[in-house]
Amino acid sequence: MIRLATPLDAEGLSLLASHVFLDTYVPQGVNRAIASEVQQRFAVPVLAARLQDPGVRVLVAETEGWLEGFADLTLQATGPSASAGPALQGAELFRLYVHPRRQCQGLGARLLKAAEDLARGQGAACSWLSAWEGNTRALAFYARQGYQEVGETDYRIDGVSYRNRVFHKALHAWTTSTTS
């Protein structure tokens, strides 16, 4: 089931986000900078505040009360400038995290589609995101989902830059057909 997150989900989101982040970005172990990043970014109060932000929507995927993934959207966000174009305007897919044991089973695609539908319903003309260039599975996933790479940006942890690829996808308005 995919549903909107509530403040009661903050603890579960904190643990799930920490787990997925560590599994994806630091399979070799944890250093001081990474430990600090995870503790700050995924602290329960930080996520609880994000869930209360009126410009944010978080969708969670769960089965029988077990959180398996989530999509975190900032509805009206300005992204980095695309190559040879203006800054991106639209809904930012801030995070799309799926529990490692649930990856490659279609859950990420379902969460992404639900997030795109939600953004479209809130009037967003496009969705954009950034993904670490070392996360080759994510880069391939977004390309398969119709996202076009439009540039790059850096994510910094304790003064160290990590190159991210920026992706964009137009969200066409829903249309209804009528028959005469």
Side-chain angles (χ1 to χ4, degrees):
M1 170 172 73
I2 295 176
R3 62 170 174 79
L4 279 173
T6 72
L8 295 175
D9 292 311
E11 282 184 318
L13 289 171
S14 172
L15 290 174
L16 179 59
S18 298
H19 180 72
V20 172
F21 182 93
L22 293 170
D23 185 71
T24 303
Y25 300 109
V26 289
Q28 73 277 13
V30 177
N31 63 22
R32 184 197 55 76
I34 295 297
S36 178
E37 179 75 6
V38 169
Q39 290 174 344
Q40 290 174 22
R41 297 280 180 214
F42 304 127
V44 172
V46 171
L47 294 176
R50 190 148 175 85
L51 291 170
Q52 298 286 346
D53 185 330
V56 169
R57 298 292 185 279
V58 178
L59 296 169
V60 296
E62 70 175 359
T63 300
E64 297 177 4
W66 295 91
L67 294 182
E68 299 174 314
F70 69 95
D72 182 336
L73 283 172
T74 303
L75 295 175
Q76 295 181 16
T78 300
S81 295
S83 301
L88 299 170
Q89 297 284 330
E92 177 188 11
L93 183 63
F94 188 63
R95 286 191 186 98
L96 176 63
Y97 281 5
V98 175
H99 190 284
R101 292 190 180 176
R102 291 285 294 157
Q103 292 174 3
C104 301
Q105 297 176 23
L107 181 57
R110 289 193 307 275
L111 272 167
L112 182 59
K113 181 178 181 334
E116 290 171 353
D117 289 347
L118 191 151
R120 186 182 299 109
Q122 294 292 311
C126 79
S127 177
W128 66 271
L129 61 98
S130 65
W132 175 49
E133 70 180 2
N135 190 350
T136 56
R137 285 189 343 179
L139 300 178
F141 168 78
Y142 291 119
R144 284 192 312 273
Q145 303 307 312
Y147 282 77
Q148 301 295 314
E149 186 175 332
V150 295
E152 55 189 42
T153 190
D154 287 322
Y155 184 83
R156 297 183 66 77
I157 298 176
D158 198 30
V160 177
S161 290
Y162 298 89
R163 181 65 40 98
N164 280 354
R165 303 291 180 200
V166 178
F167 289 84
H168 171 271
K169 181 179 181 180
L171 300 177
H172 301 291
W174 282 307
T175 58
T176 57
S177 61
T178 58
T179 57
S180 327

